[in-house]
Amino acid sequence: MSFTVIGSAALASLLVSVAALDNGVARLPVLGYNTWNAYQCNINQDLLVTTANLMKALGLLDVGYNYVNVDDCYAEKSRDADGFIVPDKIRFPDIKNMTDQIHALGFDSGWETCAGYPGSFQNELRDATTFQDWGFDYLKYDNCFIPADNVIRQGMLGKYQRMADALATLSQTSGKPPFVFSLCEWGQEQVWLWGKELGHSWRVTGDIAPKWSSLASIINFNSFITQATDFSGHNDMDMLQLGNGGLTFEEAKSHFTAWALMKSPLLIGTNLSAITHDILGILKNTEILAINQDSVVGKSISPFRWGKNPDWTSNSSFPAQYWSGPSQNGTVIMLLNTLSGPSTMSFNLTESPWIRAGRVYSVRDLWAHTDNGTAVGTFTVKNVPPHGVVALLLKDFGDA
C-alpha cells in the first residue's frame, strides 16, 4: 500500500541540478496498484487482499507490479486519546493481518489523505511509526489541508522536509529499510526542482482523467521537465487510467507507453475484476516495462521534434510527437500521433541526439514484438492511428 500527495502544476523549462535521494529503495520507478481511481472511499481490507490475489493470478506480479496501495479513507475520522491514527474499525478491523497477507503473496504495501481523515502534519514521526507497525512500506504524502505559509512560516519544501526527516529517523531507529516516499504536491511549487532531495517521486500536475485531453495535457507539461527524472527520482504523471472508460484502445496504448518511457511510476487504477484481455495485454508488455525498469540507464525519453507545432511550443492539446532516449540496449524512439486522424510520421535518425551519423540501425517494434529490418538516414511509419503510438528500439548495426 502507499501514501499519496496530489496537486496542480506550473510550467518551468529551466532545471537546477540536485542530488537524488539514494537511500536504497525505489531506484527504479515503482510498479503497482492504487485503489483511488477505481474505488475512491468504497474500500475495505477484504478488497485489498482480493486485489492482491487478482494481481498475482493475472500475472501482474510476475512482470513487476509489486505494490498494493490504499489511497485514502482507511482511518477513523479522529485520532485516539494518545494522538495516534486509528484504522477504520468496520472496514479495516485488522490492518496488520491485511498487510501480512499481502506481503505473503510477494507484494509490498503503501498508504495515503485528502478525504478529510487525520493527516500527518506535526505528527510525522508518530504516524510514520504507526504505518510501519501496520506493515506498510510506501508513503504517498498529499498536500491537502496544510496550514498557510504565513501561519506556520514554512514553505512547501519545509513541509515535506518534516516527513522526509521522520522517515529517515524511523529507518535509523528501527533498523528497517526506508519507506518509498512519494510526494504528491501537484507541481504547484515546481516540486521537480527540489523533490529528489526528499523523495523518490513527485507529482507534476493535477489529477488525471480517463480522456485524451487529460493525457495530452500531462504529456505536454512533462515534456519540458524530463531532465528531472533519473535513478531514485521520478516525475510522477499520476495513475494509469487504462480500462476505466473514456479512452480508445490506441489511446490506452499511448497512455501506457508515454508513462513507461518517461520513467513515471506505473500505478494501476483499474477495477481488476473487470479488466479486459486487451488492457491486461497493455499492462503486461514486458518490452515496454523493460525500458521503464532499465537498471543501467535511468533517464526519461525527451522530445527531439514537436511535429505539429514549432519545437519548444507548449500546447496542452497537441504535445510533442517525436521522442527519443537512451537505454542499455539501444535508442528508444516514441512517435505519438496527437492528431484526430491517421498520420504518416517520418524523421531523420540523427534528429535524435542518441543516434550517430553514418551508422545503420536495426529496428525493433516494442508493440508488434517484431524485428523490422534496418534503417539508415530516415525512418517512416505510415498510418499511425489517431492518438496512437509507435515505440521502437534502435540498435547500432554497423557502418553505413
Side-chain angles (χ1 to χ4, degrees):
M1 317 218 161
S2 65
F3 273 90
T4 306
V5 194
I6 303 169
S8 58
L11 184 63
S13 59
L14 294 176
L15 295 173
V16 297
S17 177
V18 294
L21 176 65
D22 187 3
N23 58 3
V25 298
R27 185 170 183 265
L28 301 176
V30 167
L31 307 183
Y33 185 87
N34 183 290
T35 59
W36 183 257
N37 286 3
Y39 301 106
Q40 297 190 355
C41 284
N42 298 314
I43 57 171
N44 57 53
Q45 66 184 54
D46 290 339
L47 174 66
L48 269 292
V49 174
T50 297
T51 297
N53 277 288
L54 272 172
M55 290 177 70
K56 188 164 186 175
L58 293 169
L60 291 166
L61 177 61
D62 291 338
V63 297
Y65 295 93
N66 62 344
Y67 277 87
V68 182
N69 298 346
V70 57
D71 195 284
D72 209 329
C73 312
Y74 52 83
E76 294 289 332
K77 287 284 188 176
S78 300
R79 294 174 179 270
D80 68 15
D82 296 318
F84 289 91
I85 290 177
V86 179
D88 186 292
K89 296 179 176 64
I90 303 299
R91 291 185 291 182
F92 293 91
D94 192 345
I95 204 163
K96 182 61 167 66
N97 179 260
M98 179 192 75
T99 58
D100 286 347
Q101 290 184 68
I102 291 172
H103 284 140
L105 292 170
F107 293 93
D108 294 312
S109 54
W111 211 266
E112 308 185 17
T113 184
C114 282
Y117 295 82
S120 293
F121 183 70
Q122 296 184 325
N123 288 278
E124 289 84 2
L125 184 56
R126 181 205 308 269
D127 289 354
T129 304
T130 297
F131 302 146
Q132 185 178 80
D133 290 345
W134 288 350
F136 290 96
D137 318 275
Y138 179 115
L139 176 63
K140 181 180 173 225
Y141 202 47
D142 267 300
N143 186 39
C144 296
F145 306 114
I146 297 288
D149 287 346
N150 62 359
V151 175
I152 63 173
R153 308 299 172 90
Q154 193 167 44
M156 189 61 66
L157 189 153
K159 296 170 186 175
Y160 281 96
Q161 183 74 59
R162 295 170 65 101
M163 181 56 83
D165 291 345
L167 295 176
T169 297
L170 177 62
S171 179
Q172 292 169 0
T173 56
S174 69
K176 295 182 178 180
F179 270 70
V180 177
F181 191 26
S182 173
L183 285 62
C184 194
E185 189 273 327
W186 318 300
Q188 291 172 324
E189 302 286 336
Q190 299 184 352
V191 64
W192 54 90
L193 295 174
W194 49 265
K196 64 178 62 179
E197 295 181 319
L198 307 181
H200 303 98
S201 64
W202 43 86
R203 277 281 297 283
V204 295
T205 68
D207 292 354
I208 192 173
K211 53 186 179 180
W212 176 255
S213 59
S214 178
L215 304 185
S217 179
I218 293 171
I219 291 169
N220 172 68
F221 186 89
N222 206 61
S223 68
F224 294 93
I225 57 171
T226 57
Q227 309 96 311
T229 284
D230 209 330
F231 288 129
S232 301
H234 313 283
N235 288 331
D236 181 356
M237 299 164 69
D238 203 7
M239 288 171 268
L240 294 172
Q241 284 285 66
L242 285 66
N244 286 344
L247 297 178
T248 68
F249 177 68
E250 294 298 335
E251 289 170 345
K253 284 174 58 180
S254 296
H255 176 17
F256 179 77
T257 304
W259 266 235
L261 301 189
M262 283 193 265
K263 305 296 181 77
S264 174
L266 301 178
L267 292 171
I268 302 166
T270 304
N271 182 342
L272 293 180
S273 64
I275 196 169
T276 66
H277 177 76
D278 286 344
I279 296 300
L280 186 61
I282 292 175
L283 291 169
K284 292 174 65 176
N285 185 331
T286 54
E287 293 195 67
I288 298 291
L289 289 171
I291 307 300
N292 182 264
Q293 297 291 297
D294 192 323
S295 62
V296 176
V297 178
K299 297 181 184 299
S300 164
I301 60 168
S302 299
F304 62 82
R305 181 170 19 120
W306 261 245
K308 175 180 171 61
N309 299 303
D311 290 351
W312 298 103
T313 299
S314 177
N315 187 320
S316 60
S317 298
F318 297 99
Q321 295 180 279
Y322 296 84
W323 302 65
S324 69
S327 81
Q328 63 174 307
N329 293 314
T331 298
V332 182
I333 302 288
M334 182 177 78
L335 308 179
L336 186 68
N337 179 14
T338 65
L339 309 180
S340 56
S343 180
T344 294
M345 304 186 71
S346 182
F347 64 97
N348 294 323
L349 296 189
T350 53
E351 289 184 77
S352 165
W354 311 107
I355 296 292
R356 296 168 57 194
R359 306 292 291 179
V360 177
Y361 287 83
S362 65
V363 180
R364 174 73 175 178
D365 188 316
L366 302 181
W367 278 110
H369 307 296
T370 56
D371 294 318
N372 293 359
T374 58
V376 61
T378 62
F379 192 83
T380 300
V381 182
K382 296 181 179 180
N383 296 318
V384 180
H387 301 164
V389 72
V390 175
L392 307 170
L393 184 64
L394 273 56
K395 296 184 181 181
D396 192 309
F397 200 68
D399 197 320

